[in-house]
Each structure stands twice: as C-alpha cells, then as structure tokens.
Amino acid sequence: QRQLVESGGGLVQPGGSLRLSCVAPGIISSVFWGNDWAWYLQTPGNERELVADSRRSGSINYADSVKGRFTISRDNAKKRVYLQMNNLKPEDTGVYYCKSTDAYGAVRWGQGTQVTVSS
C-alpha cells in the first residue's frame, strides 16, 4: 500500500505556529472522503498518542492537551489533511504522524514529520 506523506514540520519558538500537511499520493476523491484521518504525536520512549482526528461521520476530536490550540481540517479538492498548530509549547515537540483508516478498517501511516518547539 502506498504510504501517506507528511510535511510542514520544523523548529519553532514557544508561542509560534506550524501547519502540517498530509497527502495520500494517488488517492481518489471518494476514498479520501470516506476515510477517517488522524494526527498522532510520538515522543522519545513513548508510543504514538492521538492528537486529533476527523471522522468520515463528520465528528472531530482533540486530545485535551491541544484543545483550543490545534485544528484538524480536510481540503477535499486537494485531497489533503492539515493540522494547524498555534501557541506551540515545548511539550508539543516530537514526530507527528498522519494516519488514515478506510471503510474496511485498513490503516495507512506516513513517515512522520519532526516538530521541535524550543527557544
């Protein structure tokens, strides 16, 4: 299966913003729309934890630690999923992964993009 591709990570000062982007090369629109999409954060020595997800049902969920600061969104025309991250904190540092789950339960992950929040 083709992997997802994330981009947009980098080094930012506390209080700054970044926008992560996730794309599935070759995905068709109906599949994109019918998938659940999510962003996960992995820090050294820890498992990946859910940051935000956007379900095919239309529901959106956030981890308590990012509520009010992060926003997950989809661009159906571009077939991309975004994670807008504002007011970043040092504890937001880590590798962010994009995940898709299709209607049959098949899961795909990206390779991850590093976000470092430091002064």
Side-chain angles (χ1 to χ4, degrees), residues 85-105:
M85 306 187 295
N86 298 328
N87 190 21
L88 282 159
K89 303 176 180 181
E91 51 264 41
D92 297 321
T93 294
V95 180
Y96 284 77
Y97 293 90
C98 182
K99 173 188 175 185
S100 71
T101 307
D102 71 16
Y104 303 98

Side-chain angles (χ1 to χ4, degrees), residues 13 24 61-63 69 77 85 119:
Q13 292 187 342
N61 301 286
Y62 296 98
R69 300 188 298 121
M85 306 187 295
S119 54

Side-chain angles (χ1 to χ4, degrees), residues 22-76:
C22 173
V23 63
I27 194 170
I28 61 175
S29 295
S30 60
V31 174
F32 176 86
W33 179 254
N35 281 359
D36 293 338
W37 295 89
W39 288 96
Y40 282 72
L41 168 63
Q42 187 167 26
T43 55
N46 296 307
E47 295 188 357
R48 295 177 190 180
E49 295 185 346
L50 179 67
V51 174
D53 67 6
S54 173
R55 305 287 184 92
R56 66 179 69 86
S57 65
S59 70
I60 291 177
N61 301 286
Y62 296 98
D64 288 343
S65 60
V66 307
K67 284 180 181 176
R69 300 188 298 121
F70 290 11
T71 303
I72 187 171
S73 63
R74 307 183 181 206
D75 185 327
N76 293 325

